Amino acid sequence: MNILKLLFVVLFTISSIFIYAQDTIRTKNVEAILYLGKNKKQPLIVGLGGSEGGNAWTSDYWKKTREQFIEKGYAFLAIGYFGCKNTPAILNKIAIDDVHNALLEASKNKKINKKKIAIVGGSRGADLALLIGSYYKDIKCVVGLVSSHAVFPGHTREFNSSCWTFQGKELPFIPVNDEAVPFLIKRNLRGSFEAMLKDTIAEDKALIKIENIQGPILLISATKDEICPSTPMAEKMITRLKSFNFKYNFNHIPIDGSHSESIKHFDLVFDFLETNFRKNDNLGLN
């Protein structure tokens, strides 16, 4: 009887290993781990963490949510773009081309439907998701959690360079102005963002061209965001999409809570993806 139990445990363990396959994608300046289910032609979800650095989506914290994606029939690519081995040390002048190249390499897997790629990003990772979607036509859906509507400085001591680059050139960014400095000294990040946004000329030059995204967009903001004014910034993006008569579905859901509240509502993300990304090849109109 004990032998039968042991055999059952061994067989169960072996079968569990093969429910989800895992593969390391090796490309320049990026750490990328691909998680695959058993199905053929799996839509690919790309997960981007924020200013915490590292490869957040490989962590135990995100394991349950990551596996929910797999159980729902998606493949999942966890990307670390700074603070990982063989990646930039800090969030500064990150090449969005390198990040796109990693997801492009992952999409070559025979189990991936390369015509169905969506990016889910949080905080600075949401900015990156929107930027990649605005530059590359193969991204068919973007979900931004507490995202910015424009590019901000990289995280250097001087704040004199852009967070992001494209094709070797820094993207225009909203600089830290004199009014923002006292807020930074007090570590009042929201206050510093609001002060920087008073430079409307720089803001206009640094806007993310989300109207170029080739698919539906979901924005989830936090009404009591202590890091940045994510709800007003999301509202600006919705206004921009309407002004361009954006042809795909888009939605903004403000969540009552702090900056981290949005990550507690992945049911909204799953519902949006199911309705607007996976089921509808045509993707519909707003």
Side-chain angles (χ1 to χ4, degrees), residues 67-85:
E67 291 184 348
Q68 281 182 291
F69 278 108
I70 305 299
E71 290 162 3
K72 292 177 182 295
Y74 300 104
F76 193 92
L77 182 67
I79 286 185
Y81 50 95
F82 80 98
C84 302
K85 184 179 180 181

Side-chain angles (χ1 to χ4, degrees), residues 1-2 7 10 14 25 35 40 54 65 72 74 93 130 132-133 136 151 157 178 182 194 203 210 223 234 250 253 266:
M1 189 68 176
N2 290 335
L7 182 61
V10 171
I14 292 173
I25 309 299
Y35 301 87
K40 296 179 180 179
T65 308
K72 292 177 182 295
Y74 300 104
K93 294 192 283 191
L130 292 168
I132 294 173
Y136 293 101
V151 174
R157 290 183 65 181
D178 290 342
E194 290 173 338
E203 178 188 16
I210 56 173
T223 59
F250 58 91
I253 304 174
F266 260 82

Side-chain angles (χ1 to χ4, degrees), residues 127 147-152 174 197 203 206-208 233 236-237:
D127 304 0
S147 56
S148 303
H149 68 305
V151 174
F152 286 90
I174 304 172
L197 285 168
E203 178 188 16
L207 292 173
I208 300 172
M233 290 196 290
K236 287 183 178 182
M237 285 189 277

Side-chain angles (χ1 to χ4, degrees), residues 24-254:
T24 300
I25 309 299
R26 303 189 185 281
T27 59
K28 180 183 176 183
N29 292 328
V30 174
E31 178 185 285
I33 308 296
L34 178 63
Y35 301 87
L36 291 162
K38 297 182 292 183
N39 299 334
K40 296 179 180 179
K41 297 295 181 181
Q42 299 167 48
L44 179 63
I45 305 295
V46 180
L48 300 172
S51 58
E52 72 276 9
N55 198 343
W57 277 99
T58 63
S59 68
D60 289 341
Y61 181 88
W62 286 108
K63 184 175 186 291
K64 180 179 178 181
T65 308
R66 190 180 68 228
E67 291 184 348
Q68 281 182 291
F69 278 108
I70 305 299
E71 290 162 3
K72 292 177 182 295
Y74 300 104
F76 193 92
L77 182 67
I79 286 185
Y81 50 95
F82 80 98
C84 302
K85 184 179 180 181
N86 299 321
T87 69
I90 62 172
L91 180 53
N92 182 52
K93 294 192 283 191
I94 302 300
I96 67 175
D97 334 43
D98 289 343
V99 180
H100 179 261
N101 187 47
L103 68 88
L104 200 62
E105 192 65 26
S107 71
K108 294 178 182 178
N109 188 292
K110 293 180 180 180
K111 285 191 173 184
I112 300 296
N113 181 354
K114 61 176 62 179
K115 294 182 179 180
K116 285 281 189 178
I117 303 175
I119 309 182
V120 178
S123 196
R124 276 289 176 265
D127 304 0
L128 177 55
L130 292 168
L131 282 166
I132 294 173
S134 72
Y135 278 101
Y136 293 101
K137 294 182 178 181
D138 53 354
I139 308 304
K140 300 304 180 184
C141 182
V142 177
V143 176
L145 310 177
V146 289
S147 56
S148 303
H149 68 305
V151 174
F152 286 90
H155 293 190
T156 64
R157 290 183 65 181
E158 298 81 11
F159 299 107
N160 60 357
S161 53
S162 180
C163 253
W164 318 108
T165 71
F166 179 68
Q167 295 182 348
K169 296 181 180 180
E170 290 185 48
L171 298 186
F173 64 96
I174 304 172
V176 173
N177 52 22
D178 290 342
E179 189 175 338
V181 172
F183 292 104
L184 285 173
I185 293 172
K186 296 176 184 178
R187 297 187 179 182
N188 181 344
L189 294 179
R190 175 157 185 155
S192 64
F193 273 105
E194 290 173 338
M196 292 161 69
L197 285 168
K198 291 182 180 180
D199 186 346
T200 55
I201 295 175
E203 178 188 16
D204 187 62
K205 292 178 180 178
L207 292 173
I208 300 172
K209 295 179 174 60
I210 56 173
E211 68 276 6
N212 292 335
I213 295 173
Q214 299 295 301
I217 301 170
L218 173 63
L219 302 172
I220 298 179
S221 68
T223 59
K224 299 173 183 175
D225 199 321
E226 75 284 12
I227 303 297
C228 66
S230 58
T231 296
M233 290 196 290
E235 290 170 348
K236 287 183 178 182
M237 285 189 277
I238 293 300
T239 299
R240 183 179 180 92
L241 291 173
K242 289 178 178 178
S243 71
F244 278 92
N245 296 313
F246 190 67
K247 67 179 181 178
Y248 302 100
N249 286 333
F250 58 91
N251 193 18
H252 168 217
I253 304 174

